[in-house]
């Protein structure tokens, strides 16, 4: 695997050469080793088709729908494939909701004055409370505690007790569809129980029933987990607003103490930035021979941070998304890697030993073989925990700097980050009308939410995502970018105003008028619910147009894991055209494939598209957008 099979980014390809030179076990090597024969993308056909099951002692079983070859229990290949997808979605939902629970704990502890944080957006707190029908009188602390109690009560509703959060936040037209289908959810915990229990051997083997349960779980997750999480993080740390941020691996300077919070939860990352900005901590770093102390944003924890806080010489920049991880660690510039609840790799201890950085879990979810040190995040101890992490990084500097030859001269550039519903409306003068007018008159053909991970399947890191994005903006389609795919856009230069030169004439005109890039950095995968809320607002502003009729689509050009699959299923329940790549492991389930690619349109209005060619993928997205424009008469 070479060149574009490694990564779109020069910085990663450079450090890949170091990994080879150092003989390090690496992701590209491991990916290639999983292939059959000389094809790194080829795997067991039953596994790739989703028609393999080992849930009971009669298995593992394989299925072939064409021959009516079933599992020992009698389940068909369609049932096998959808059951495994639903189980993956349970994992995605539970991980999203774990983050939400941590955010709510942090909010409660903060208003009780037990954390180093404070309410940054009291107006959003009040507005969100009012939207939910919560009493918004009294102090910020009073309102926040009511919000906490309201959300927790909704999370624990039984599956036959409709979620109040979904009822208040979802578009009325969507709610009607979900109620008719029997997929209007209860509380997220009961929905996870319902889904998991349905997947037990000899319980629910019908692919249609399982698909509907997956949608039901996705709806609960989007409105209860994602929206509550991101809105409360806004309240605590600030609403994302546009600003510049340094990106790519050149943000790593070996002469500084470099601390990398990593994962999906930003709490200790923010706490460390607050401390590191104090002169006493800079002096501590200088006392061991460093030029200073820096917090470097990394992966989705980093996205949460850079969307909200401005860069300076302490909160210095952002590296990239998760496939960059081994390259980042091999740079010889890292002193401490603090791993929270997602996207830290089991191989990291090997890298810590080789490149002399301190590796530490800061979440009860994360464990590394051979690493006994940990510091599980507790909101009430966030200040002390952040201080401990910074001390460990400073203590590590001399060892790392004197024993590891760093890689220098890596690229660094600036991206504009920090777009949110509020900041987009502010940029448009306080109303969505200019955006809607541009869509109506055809200056913009439509909008795509690029909600993606990054994967090595079929192409190198971010190669396919960047190709799809460039093709979309060339056709005057504005992109709102989320997740690890957002890191791809930032490091590839598509979140820079200069990228307007790659856009079609209409989008280029909009970018020039508003001084924005053609790809708007909209956050992390957790912001999928925020994106749905924005789409709902657009539908309402257009006169309560059905979501299914909007010139809008969702694209996941390089989805990777379980959180991505539940996002896609939610998008289908929401009624959106949903492009995903790589092809999901369902190809051995022809009836399920037909349901997803064709039948879903008659159920929820959503439509799944799979395509490995970037131009053909965008052809499909553009055709959907143009058909909806015609339907709306614009």
């Amino acid at each position: 695997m070479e060149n574009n099979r490694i990564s779109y980014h020069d910085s990663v390809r450079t450090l890949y050469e170091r990994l080879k030179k150092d003989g390090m076990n690496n992701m590209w090597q491991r990916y290639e080793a999983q292939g059959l024969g000389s094809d790194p993308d080829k795997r067991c056909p039953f596994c790739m088709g989703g028609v393999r099951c080992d849930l009971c002692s009669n298995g593992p079983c394989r299925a072939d729908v064409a021959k009516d070859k079933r599992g020992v229990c009698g389940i068909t290949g369609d049932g096998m494939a959808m059951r495994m997808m639903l189980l993956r979605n349970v994992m995605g939902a539970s991980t999203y909701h774990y983050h939400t629970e941590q955010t709510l704990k942090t909010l409660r502890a903060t208003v009780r004055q037990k954390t180093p944080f404070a309410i940054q957006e009291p107006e959003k707190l009040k507005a969100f409370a009012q939207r939910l029908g919560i009493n918004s009188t009294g102090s910020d602390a009073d309102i926040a505690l009511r919000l906490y109690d309201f959300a927790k009560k909704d999370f624990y509703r039984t599956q036959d007790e409709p979620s109040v959060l979904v009822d208040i936040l979802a578009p009325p037209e969507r709610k009607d569809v979900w109620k008719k289908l029997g997929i209007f959810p209860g509380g997220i915990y009961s929905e996870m129980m319902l889904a998991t229990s349905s997947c037990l051997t000899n319980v629910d083997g019908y692919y249609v029933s399982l698909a509907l349960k997956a949608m039901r779980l996705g709806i609960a997750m989007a409105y209860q987990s994602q929206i509550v999480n991101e809105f409360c993080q806004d309240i605590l740390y600030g609403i994302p607003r546009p600003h510049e941020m340094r990106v790519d691996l050149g943000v790593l300077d070996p002469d500084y103490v470099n601390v990398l919070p990593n994962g999906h939860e930003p709490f200790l990352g923010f706490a460390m930035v607050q401390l590191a900005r104090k002169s006493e901590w800079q002096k501590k770093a200088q006392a061991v021979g460093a030029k200073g102390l820096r917090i470097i944003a990394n992966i989705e924890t980093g996205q949460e941070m850079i969307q909200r806080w401005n860069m300076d010489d302490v909160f210095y920049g952002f590296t990239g998304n998760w496939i960059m991880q081994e390259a980042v660690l091999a740079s010889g510039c890292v002193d401490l890697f603090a791993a929270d609840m997602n996207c830290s790799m089991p191989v990291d201890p090997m890298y810590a030993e080789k490149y002399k950085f301190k590796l530490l879990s800061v979440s009860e979810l994360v464990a590394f073989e051979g690493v006994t040190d940990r510091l599980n995040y507790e909101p009430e101890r966030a200040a002390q925990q952040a201080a401990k992490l910074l001390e460990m990084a400073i203590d590590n500097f001399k060892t790392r700097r004197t024993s590891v030859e760093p890689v220098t001269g890596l690229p660094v550039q600036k991206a504009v980050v920090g777009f949110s519903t509020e900041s987009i409306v502010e940029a448009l003068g306080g109303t969505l009308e200019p955006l809607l007018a541009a869509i109506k008159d055809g200056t913009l053909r439509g909008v795509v939410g690029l909600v993606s991970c990054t994967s090595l399947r079929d192409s190198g890191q971010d190669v396919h995502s960047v190709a799809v994005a460039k093709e979309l903006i060339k056709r005057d389609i504005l992109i709102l970018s989320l997740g690890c795919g957002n890191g791809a856009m930032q490091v590839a230069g598509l979140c820079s105003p200069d990228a307007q030169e790659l856009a079609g004439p209409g989008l280029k005109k909009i970018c020039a008028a508003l001084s924005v890039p053609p790809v708007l950095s909209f956050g992390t995968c957790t912001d999928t619910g925020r994106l749905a809320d924005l789409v709902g607002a657009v539908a309402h502003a257009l006169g309560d147009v059905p979501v299914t009729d909007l010139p809008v689509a969702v694209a996941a050009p390089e989805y990777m894991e379980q959180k991505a699959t539940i996002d896609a299923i939610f998008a289908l329940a929401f009624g959106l055209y949903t492009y995903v790549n790589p092809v999901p492991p369902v190809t051995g389930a022809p009836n399920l494939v037909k349901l997803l690619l064709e039948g879903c349109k008659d159920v929820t209005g959503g439509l799944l598209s799979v395509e490995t060619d970037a131009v053909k993928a965008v052809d499909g997205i553009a055709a959907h957008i143009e058909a909806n424009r015609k339907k709306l008469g614009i």
Side-chain angles (χ1 to χ4, degrees):
M1 297 176 70
E2 301 293 335
N3 299 321
N4 274 0
R5 272 319 305 258
I6 303 302
S7 175
Y8 179 86
H9 312 295
D10 289 339
S11 57
V12 178
R13 293 200 296 267
T14 296
L15 281 161
Y16 173 70
E17 293 303 317
R18 175 173 200 165
L19 293 173
K20 288 200 300 182
K21 178 183 175 183
D22 289 350
M24 292 299 290
N25 184 299
N26 63 76
M27 179 178 301
W28 297 273
Q29 178 188 72
R30 296 190 299 271
Y31 183 87
E32 199 166 18
Q34 290 293 332
L36 298 179
S38 60
D39 185 350
D41 298 311
K42 190 174 182 180
R43 302 288 195 274
C44 161
F46 290 99
C47 296
M48 290 191 75
V51 287
R52 181 224 182 247
C53 176
D54 64 357
L55 292 183
C56 85
S57 65
N58 290 305
C61 292
R62 298 169 295 174
D64 187 328
V65 174
K67 297 178 181 178
D68 197 27
K69 179 180 179 180
R70 300 171 178 239
V72 172
C73 69
I75 193 169
T76 66
D78 296 298
M80 276 187 190
M82 190 61 233
R83 184 166 66 183
M84 291 311 297
M85 184 182 291
L86 179 52
L87 283 172
R88 286 192 289 272
N89 285 2
V90 172
M91 285 188 276
S94 65
T95 311
Y96 273 132
H97 200 71
Y98 180 89
H99 186 171
T100 304
E101 290 282 17
Q102 294 290 86
T103 299
L104 284 174
K105 283 168 60 177
T106 303
L107 177 66
R108 181 179 61 178
T110 296
V111 299
R112 290 175 173 174
Q113 299 183 327
K114 294 181 178 179
T115 77
F117 312 124
I119 298 295
Q120 298 295 320
E121 301 285 354
E123 291 305 313
K124 178 151 191 174
L125 170 62
K126 184 175 289 188
F128 191 36
Q130 290 172 343
R131 186 177 176 188
L132 296 177
I134 298 169
N135 179 359
S136 60
T137 62
S139 67
D140 292 344
D142 292 336
I143 301 169
L145 291 173
R146 291 184 201 120
L147 173 59
Y148 174 92
D149 290 340
F150 181 95
K152 294 285 283 188
K153 181 178 180 180
D154 204 59
F155 298 162
Y156 283 98
R157 294 182 193 279
T158 58
Q159 71 263 21
D160 57 354
E161 186 181 4
S163 165
V164 177
L165 280 162
V166 176
D167 189 51
I168 292 171
L169 299 175
E173 166 262 334
R174 287 289 88 192
K175 292 189 293 184
D176 290 343
V177 169
W178 298 336
K179 288 173 182 176
K180 287 176 184 176
L181 292 171
I183 60 173
F184 193 97
I188 183 70
Y189 286 111
S190 65
E191 293 301 330
M192 288 191 285
M193 181 177 68
L194 176 68
T196 308
S197 301
S198 297
C199 293
L200 194 73
T201 303
N202 295 332
V203 174
D204 187 345
Y206 182 32
Y207 71 97
V208 174
S209 170
L210 292 166
L212 290 170
K213 287 171 181 172
M215 289 185 176
R216 178 174 170 140
L217 178 61
I219 296 163
M221 178 277 306
Y223 288 98
Q224 295 175 49
S225 306
Q226 291 182 334
I227 288 182
V228 170
N229 178 57
E230 286 299 343
F231 282 21
C232 287
Q233 287 188 153
D234 287 354
I235 290 164
L236 280 168
Y237 304 116
I239 294 169
R241 294 182 174 88
H243 57 277
E244 284 191 333
M245 180 60 62
R246 301 179 193 92
V247 299
D248 210 345
L249 301 190
V251 301
L252 295 164
D253 186 329
D255 293 327
Y256 283 79
V257 175
N258 291 303
V259 181
L260 275 66
N262 182 78
H264 281 239
E265 295 178 334
F267 316 119
L268 285 174
F270 280 128
M272 287 191 288
V273 171
Q274 290 180 165
L275 287 180
R277 282 175 169 166
K278 296 180 179 179
S279 61
E280 64 192 83
W281 282 97
Q282 293 301 317
K283 289 175 182 176
K284 287 182 180 182
Q286 291 159 6
V288 298
K291 289 182 177 178
L293 170 63
R294 285 176 172 171
I295 311 301
I296 305 294
N298 208 49
I299 309 186
E300 295 292 77
T301 288
Q303 282 292 338
E304 296 281 12
M305 296 172 70
I306 67 172
Q307 292 296 111
R308 294 178 171 86
W309 284 14
N310 292 337
M311 68 180 182
D312 54 22
D313 200 48
V314 174
F315 184 43
Y316 193 74
F318 172 76
T319 56
N321 56 31
W322 84 271
I323 283 182
M324 284 183 169
Q325 187 165 147
E326 290 168 337
V328 168
L329 300 178
S331 67
C333 300
V334 178
D335 288 294
L336 184 134
F337 194 77
D340 69 55
M341 52 82 75
N342 204 182
C343 288
S344 296
M345 298 165 62
V347 76
D348 287 348
M350 182 189 305
Y351 280 70
E353 174 64 26
K354 176 68 176 178
Y355 299 110
K356 305 304 178 189
F357 61 88
K358 188 68 176 176
L359 174 66
L360 201 75
S361 168
V362 294
S363 167
E364 62 188 346
L365 296 190
V366 180
F368 298 103
E369 185 175 357
V371 178
T372 56
D373 289 345
R374 64 168 46 250
L375 197 157
N376 294 342
Y377 169 65
E378 298 175 33
E380 294 82 1
R381 298 184 62 242
Q384 301 96 302
Q385 291 179 326
K388 176 66 174 176
L389 293 170
L390 295 185
E391 290 280 9
M392 293 169 69
I394 291 168
D395 290 345
N396 185 77
F397 176 78
K398 283 184 179 180
T399 300
R400 188 265 301 171
R401 193 66 187 91
T402 56
S403 59
V404 181
E405 183 66 28
V407 177
T408 58
L410 295 170
V412 61
Q413 57 188 312
K414 289 182 180 177
V416 177
V417 300
F419 288 92
S420 60
T421 303
E422 291 93 337
S423 62
I424 290 172
V425 170
E426 287 171 10
L428 294 171
T431 173
L432 285 172
E433 190 52 44
L435 175 64
L436 302 180
I439 293 173
K440 289 175 183 176
D441 68 21
T443 303
L444 289 180
R445 306 310 295 175
V447 179
V448 165
L450 192 149
V451 187
S452 197
C453 306
T454 181
S455 173
L456 295 183
R457 171 69 64 180
D458 302 324
S459 62
Q461 175 211 10
D462 298 340
V463 171
H464 188 66
S465 293
V466 173
V468 167
K470 286 183 175 179
E471 192 66 30
L472 285 168
I473 63 175
K474 185 170 75 174
R475 303 192 196 194
D476 291 323
I477 297 172
L478 177 69
I479 295 175
L480 303 181
S481 182
L482 302 81
C484 265
N486 197 13
M489 302 297 107
Q490 293 158 355
V491 177
L494 297 181
C495 292
S496 164
D498 294 342
Q500 66 182 263
E501 298 304 321
L502 302 174
L507 179 54
K508 184 176 180 179
K509 179 182 176 182
I510 294 292
C511 291
L514 297 176
S515 299
V516 298
V519 177
L520 302 184
S521 175
F522 201 72
T524 73
C525 54
T526 312
D527 284 288
T528 305
R530 189 200 298 267
L531 180 63
D533 201 44
L534 175 58
V535 171
V538 170
H540 178 67
L542 286 171
D544 291 321
V545 170
V547 168
T548 52
D549 293 350
L550 294 174
V552 171
V554 172
E558 294 182 36
Y559 87 89
M560 194 275 292
E561 46 100 279
Q562 300 87 352
K563 293 166 84 175
T565 61
I566 194 167
D567 285 338
I569 291 294
F570 166 68
L572 292 175
F574 199 58
L576 295 174
Y577 181 101
T578 305
Y579 165 64
V580 301
N581 182 72
V583 177
V586 295
T587 54
N591 296 305
L592 175 59
V593 169
K594 187 174 182 180
L595 173 65
L596 294 172
L597 297 182
E598 301 173 20
C600 190
K601 189 172 183 179
D602 297 324
V603 180
T604 65
L607 185 64
L608 184 71
S609 167
V610 293
E611 174 59 61
T612 58
D613 181 270
V615 174
K616 291 179 181 178
V618 177
D619 285 343
I621 293 170
H624 171 78
I625 285 173
E626 294 303 324
N628 275 5
R629 291 184 61 86
K630 185 175 181 180
K631 190 184 296 184
L632 293 173
I634 57 176

